[in-house]
Amino acid sequence: MKKLAQFSVDYPVTVAMIILGIVLLGFISFSRLGTDLFPNLNNPRIVVEVRSGERPPEEIEKQLVEPMEGAIIRQRGVVNVGSLSKVGSAQIIVEYNWDQDMDEAFLDLQKALTAYSQNEEVEELNIYRNDPNASPVMLAAISNPGISDMDELRKVAQNYIRNQLIRVDGIADVRLSGEQTKEIWIETDPYMLESHGITSSSIVSKIQSFNRNVSGGSIEELGQRYIIKGVSIYQSPQDLGKLVIGRTLQEDENGQQKEVPLLLRDVARVAYKNQEPLNIVRLNGQRCIGLSIYKETKYNTVAAVEALNEGFDKVKKALPGYEITIIKNQGKFIGDAIGEVKDSALIGIVFAVLVLFLFLRRIGTTLVVSAAIPISIIATFNLMYFNGLTLNIMTLGGLALGAGMLVDNAIIVVENIFSLLERGKPLRQAAVEGTAQVGGALVASTLTTIVVFLPIVYLHGASGELFKDQAWTVAFSLLSSLFVAILIIPILSVLLLGKRPDKLKVKQKSYPVYSRFLSAAIDKRYWVILAAIVLVACSYLSISFIGSEFMPKAKTREFSVEVTLPAGTGLQRTASTMQAMEEMISEGLAEHVAHVYTHSGPQTDLSGSGKSVFEGENTGFIKVIIREDSPYSSDDFIPVLSTLFTGIPDMELEYIQDETALGEILGSDAAPVMIEVLGEDLTVLDGLTDKVYAALQSNEALYNLKSSFQDGVPEVNVHIDRYRAGIFNINASSIITQLQEFLMGKDAGSIESGGELTDITLKMPDYPLGELDNFIIENGQEKYRLNELADISIGSAPKEVIRDNQNRVGRITAHIKGDVPVDQLAIQIEGALAGIEFPPGYRYQLKGEEMLRKESFGSLSFALLLSVILVYMVMASQFESLIHPFTILLTIPLAGVGALAAFLLLGMSLNIMAYIGLVMLAGIAVNDSIILVDAINQFKKEGMMLKEAVMAAANNRLRPIFMTSLTTILGLLPLTIGFGESAALRSSMAIAVIGGLLTSTLLTLVVIPCVYYVFDGIVRKNR
């Protein structure tokens, strides 16, 4: 250490060049760091989707899902296989270890399921990586008060706006929703067709045979070749109406029957009509077209959104009268979150510098210490760039956490240089020796803070993936600050502290009040230690009162309500229900709501959301954006809306706070409370699930309870009598095909109109359910009624079959009202279910947030234990002692007292962010004790008696201990204030560290000297 300090003082130009080099490369690195909300998380989940006609769930489960699950479970790295089978479709979610190579896993899974894609019963088999970051970066609504025709609006949105936006840098795709397309609608009259002996099939073939241009060879004359082309393409619905489809008899003026052509318009209505929409979108009650805009993978979100905003500005200028409303803007969310962290870090730095000035009262000294902050941060950008990190709320949070600690090393060096100056040492000698004396303690304290992050880097699972980047950033910033303190602070001290007289009156630092208090405490040391033990025990008993949860609850200004109406509900009925809900929201939350965006029907997006395969005409969502000036957040409104909507029967609601992709990555995007009943027989599972549902209904902390065993899809079962059908020589496929064509219509080609191809659809009038018995089935010239060939019954298919790791499951989900901690709620639920008797082979398990909380707390407890062991090992190496490091370790439980007290006083629950704060405390809180114990050892070496050495060290190190703790606490203070998901993530961690540092600093100055005194006495006796 002495050589490094000597080098710094002897070669100031070299040190200046090193600083300039770091700053120059730091600015270049900073300009090239990517910006995103979260680190690039490897989400170990693959989704398999199967579509198979209109098969009931049990049939899909037995014939397709079970054998596929058997093949999937054998794949390397698979930890969980869950499936959900509904009518006509199934979804299998495959979860892997977090360290699995997902590209390799994806290819292996594709190979394993190739055989099933060839299965005749499988209409469609899709396998895709579940990437939550693939959600749209922007959601916009396009409307025009003067246009109500959705086809006209679609033409502008699709042919102009979409084409403009797709060319923007970083934009991968733009999807439309809520649009309608015109088609030529041919509505036939079945009685007219029957009277003329014409079938719908013959009309379709006639239309298709005439609707084409045919090449007829060529003729050559006088050296010129002429191409012959037969032109027969339809130009308009009138052309179609004039199509001759047969002959009919008609009376002439003389009353005689004569044969005349039968035209299509004689037996059908032919007209332009908008197709039935796939989905219906409204903004604040008005029909509009939704635009979902996706960015390219790994492209900078903020840059993509900035370019999009410029694109929208051009579109608005080119299309006056058209209104473009931005509903969701991921770039703004990221920009705000990152801006907030940057501001917090800067405010923290200002606080730290103010503390320095108040203590040091010298501008020169304050400048020396403050120089450590910008140089350390700029050096950190270099290490971040070369390690492939990005600027996100976790890495910037790491910098903000480190901001207060960056000056700690510099404070201790400068404070020690001052001590030597006051004893009369020359400035250069004081700079070298002052740095060398505390160099060992600095390395130890920096290493203890860094080693607590090592277990986090090694953690598997969600918490490890999320905090890895933050751990690296804090480690890099602290290493940089150590480098600055040892190499740069000595020369800055020589340059900025000015010339000192060679002889200064030696001042022994003394704080009389503290000295008297500490002397009395050492005299009654056993009582002090006992009081500390009682305090620690009481605080740890309070954990059950504090409660714990998985992730901190964020206060956001956006939320969505996912709506599912009874299966079989048509799109128009879904849209009218959603419109009524929209009106209720607008009236109930009038002055607080900026926009209400409703989407009825299946989504037309790319995000590959886990629910896309089950979306239909009976599903939709409402997105509510709360005004910026509203004092309330989504947490306040969701229970209000839940009460408002209770009057709407047979409706399932899922409330989702639009935080970000984080919830989905961590697996906490589903309902927070989930109870699964496992067994084999669906009837027994149904009964047990009903009992669990009834037991939970009395719990006032739960709302929006849902069971997976509810009425399924209404269906008409046409049971074909094979014997009767065989007698009439009709096969089953012929009966079903005729039914299908009559009910669903036939495609009859297309014609070009206005530069676009327009579909031609032949459709029969709507057929009433009661008349289905009399439906006519044709077989050549013979005709039969449907009830002569089949028995018709109305029933309902099971809603869904859920499986988890090859077990059938009944699932109940619920949301939590208020701020009830998840662990306390889990105890209540287990108490409520204790009275239910489960038959052999049947059991229940708590999933949702409670399962994630248990897993994360388990892995973080291991990280905490490992970090304490590593801290002990670093200190044992530093002090070459096994006893003194143990003395220092006692600071950690003292820090825990303050952290737990902070959460108890603020009425907050512990969560994984707070736990990470506790892990960090293990490294930060011991720093004060290291400085204190190191000073005691140095004074003992100088020949002082034990009590004298303890008193002198405590007085000598009181000011630097207070300064380092205060700079760290005030540096973190701005992180506890803020709004939004990023603020919720940061504040829990910062509160844990601030609370812990407050108690550890105060108790270190009293308890640690007493413990040192006791342990040192024991060591001396043994000697």
Side-chain angles (χ1 to χ4, degrees), residues 776-895:
I776 301 298
I777 300 292
E778 296 178 0
N779 185 30
Q781 297 299 312
E782 303 294 326
K783 293 179 182 177
Y784 307 96
R785 294 190 188 281
L786 183 59
N787 61 5
E788 293 178 289
L789 306 170
D791 297 318
I792 298 164
S793 62
I794 298 170
S796 75
K799 184 185 167 193
E800 56 194 25
V801 177
I802 305 172
R803 292 167 63 84
D804 186 49
N805 278 336
Q806 299 182 295
N807 291 309
R808 277 179 167 175
V809 164
R811 185 175 288 162
I812 289 140
T813 57
H815 286 76
I816 303 169
K817 208 180 280 179
D819 293 326
V820 183
V822 174
D823 63 329
Q824 293 179 6
L825 193 62
I827 294 164
Q828 292 175 23
I829 290 169
E830 285 177 341
L833 302 187
I836 299 172
E837 195 176 320
F838 287 83
Y842 292 82
R843 61 189 172 87
Y844 78 89
Q845 61 184 22
L846 281 179
K847 293 194 90 172
E849 276 195 22
E850 173 60 10
M851 185 188 76
L852 293 167
R853 185 197 67 82
K854 273 187 177 172
E855 284 175 2
S856 296
F857 275 42
S859 58
L860 286 169
S861 298
F862 164 75
L864 182 59
L865 182 66
L866 185 57
S867 63
V868 170
I869 293 167
L870 288 170
V871 166
Y872 178 81
M873 289 163 78
V874 168
M875 291 188 300
S877 310
Q878 171 62 28
F879 291 109
E880 201 55 46
S881 160
L882 297 175
I883 294 291
H884 293 321
F886 188 70
T887 308
I888 294 166
L889 275 189
L890 293 175
T891 318
I892 297 172
L894 297 177

Side-chain angles (χ1 to χ4, degrees), residues 10-42:
D10 291 346
Y11 301 99
V13 175
T14 308
V15 172
M17 290 305 108
I18 290 170
I19 295 170
L20 283 173
I22 288 169
V23 170
L24 179 65
L25 291 174
F27 276 112
I28 295 168
S29 299
F30 178 72
S31 66
R32 296 189 180 183
L33 284 172
T35 308
D36 229 318
L37 189 63
F38 287 105
N40 188 21
L41 297 170
N42 171 40

Side-chain angles (χ1 to χ4, degrees), residues 606-626:
L606 288 171
S607 57
S609 72
K611 298 168 184 167
S612 57
V613 71
F614 304 126
E615 286 172 358
E617 292 191 359
N618 63 318
T619 62
F621 70 86
I622 302 172
K623 196 172 184 66
V624 182
I625 290 97
I626 301 163

Side-chain angles (χ1 to χ4, degrees), residues 895 898-900 902-903 910 913-918 921 987-997:
L900 294 172
F903 281 93
L910 287 171
M913 303 304 295
Y915 217 129
I916 290 283
L918 291 172
L921 262 180
S987 61
S988 299
M989 195 188 303
I991 288 165
V993 177
I994 289 170
L997 272 182

Side-chain angles (χ1 to χ4, degrees), residues 539-590:
S539 67
Y540 283 85
L541 287 171
S542 71
I543 290 175
S544 58
F545 297 104
I546 297 168
S548 57
E549 59 193 1
F550 176 54
M551 288 293 283
K553 289 187 174 68
K555 292 196 178 296
T556 60
R557 294 203 177 276
E558 292 178 21
F559 65 92
S560 297
V561 186
E562 291 196 350
V563 181
T564 307
L565 292 171
T569 306
L571 180 63
Q572 294 299 335
R573 188 174 161 198
T574 303
S576 61
T577 305
M578 302 269 282
Q579 194 173 5
M581 291 169 73
E582 184 184 350
E583 285 167 8
M584 289 162 83
I585 292 170
S586 298
E587 286 171 20
L589 316 175

